[in-house]
């Protein structure tokens, strides 16, 4: 039986809240550190993945970024790439500090936007044992070009207002994370709004908006360029019909990872969280973990 503890760890001046899954049995376990994508919180199906990893013996640390979910940070709904990467480093440090986990066997797991953060973090930390990224964001320019021009214009107008307001000490100007095609939202593909909101449980407080200033940062974020410098094994789970994180650039970056493994799925960006697509991707992730970071200590090929 798996225990799920509510834990916190410091990141900058605030705290991140997290779930720590501890599988039954003794010994220090490998630990999978997990976080969600663009504006997402851990209740949006990350527990489904963590439960399955824990069921076969992996500890899991599933955290909310600062400014989102249960974690601290003001103002709310502020999506800062720099702060989220700092949260990743803090989460990895905390995972290594727990007496139940093996600090030499930390695995990074990310989905969508956090898939890009996983690449950046793995490139910066050569002691990471392995990394898994699904439906991953790798190139801000490619994702921006996937948006309809009318949506880009609307979002950038709000971003400019938000930056001016920030300089004047005002509350953030918010923009929808997922919206209808042609609307002012960061994701406007036909499957974006229904696919994104379907991940939110009905009893979880959730706001489908982020500070608009983020739109000025995303085009400069290209974590796929870090793949050459990742020394650990990396599993790239690529959705071939991805409307948010185009598969073409992702595959080009993935092929440059020295120890990269690529799995391709005939699914959209939001399909892999449920049903048969979820089972397919999870099967491959469990096989990857068993091969590179097995539960039994001392049997890893590293």
């Amino acid at each position: 039986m798996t225990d799920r503890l509510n834990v916190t760890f410091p990141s900058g001046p605030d705290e991140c809240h997290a779930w720590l899954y501890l599988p039954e049995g003794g010994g220090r376990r490998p630990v999978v550190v997990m976080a969600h994508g663009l504006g997402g919180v851990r209740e949006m199906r990350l527990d489904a993945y963590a439960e399955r990893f824990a069921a076969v013996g992996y500890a899991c640390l599933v955290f909310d970024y600062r400014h989102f979910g249960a974690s601290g940070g003001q103002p709310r709904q502020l999506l800062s790439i720099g702060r989220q990467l700092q949260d990743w480093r803090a989460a990895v440090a905390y995972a290594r500090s727990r007496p139940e986990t093996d600090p030499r066997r930390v695995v990074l797991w990310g989905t969508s936007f956090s898939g890009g953060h996983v690449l950046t973090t793995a490139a910066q930390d050569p002691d990471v044992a392995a990394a898994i990224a699904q439906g991953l964001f790798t190139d801000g320019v490619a994702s921006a070009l996937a948006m309809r021009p009318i949506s880009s214009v609307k979002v950038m107008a709000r971003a400019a207002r938000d930056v001016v307001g920030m300089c004047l000490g005002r509350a953030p100007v918010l923009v929808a994370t997922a919206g209808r095609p042609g609307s002012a939202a960061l994701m406007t593909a036909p499957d974006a709004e229904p696919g994104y909101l379907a991940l939110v449980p009905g009893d979880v407080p959730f706001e489908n908006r982020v500070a608009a200033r983020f739109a000025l940062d995303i085009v400069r974020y290209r974590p796929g360029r870090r793949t050459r410098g990742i020394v650990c094994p990396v599993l790239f789970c690529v959705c071939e019909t991805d409307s948010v994180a185009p598969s073409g650039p992702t595959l080009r970056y993935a092929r440059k990872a020295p120890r990269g493994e690529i799995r391709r799925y005939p699914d959209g960006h939001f399909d892999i969280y449920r049903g048969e697509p979820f089972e397919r991707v999870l099967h491959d992730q469990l096989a990857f973990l068993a091969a590179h970071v097995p539960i039994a200590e001392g049997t890893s090929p590293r």
Side-chain angles (χ1 to χ4, degrees), residues 81 153 198:
I81 294 171
V153 171

Side-chain angles (χ1 to χ4, degrees), residues 44 177-180 187 191-202 206-209 270 274:
M44 294 167 66
T177 309
R180 298 183 304 277
M187 297 183 289
D191 64 333
E193 186 178 42
Y196 185 71
L197 296 181
L199 302 178
V200 185
F206 179 74
E207 191 166 356
N208 179 30
R209 299 189 297 172
F270 299 98
R274 297 181 182 276

Side-chain angles (χ1 to χ4, degrees), residues 140-211:
V141 173
S143 291
L145 291 175
M147 290 181 64
R148 296 188 180 189
I150 185 62
S151 292
S152 295
V153 171
K154 292 177 180 178
V155 169
M156 288 301 177
R158 293 197 182 187
R161 285 173 48 209
D162 189 27
V163 170
V164 171
M166 176 184 65
C167 295
L168 297 175
R170 297 174 182 168
V173 175
L174 301 178
V175 65
T177 309
R180 298 183 304 277
S183 66
L186 298 177
M187 297 183 289
T188 58
D191 64 333
E193 186 178 42
Y196 185 71
L197 296 181
L199 302 178
V200 185
D203 59 344
V204 174
F206 179 74
E207 191 166 356
N208 179 30
R209 299 189 297 172
V210 301

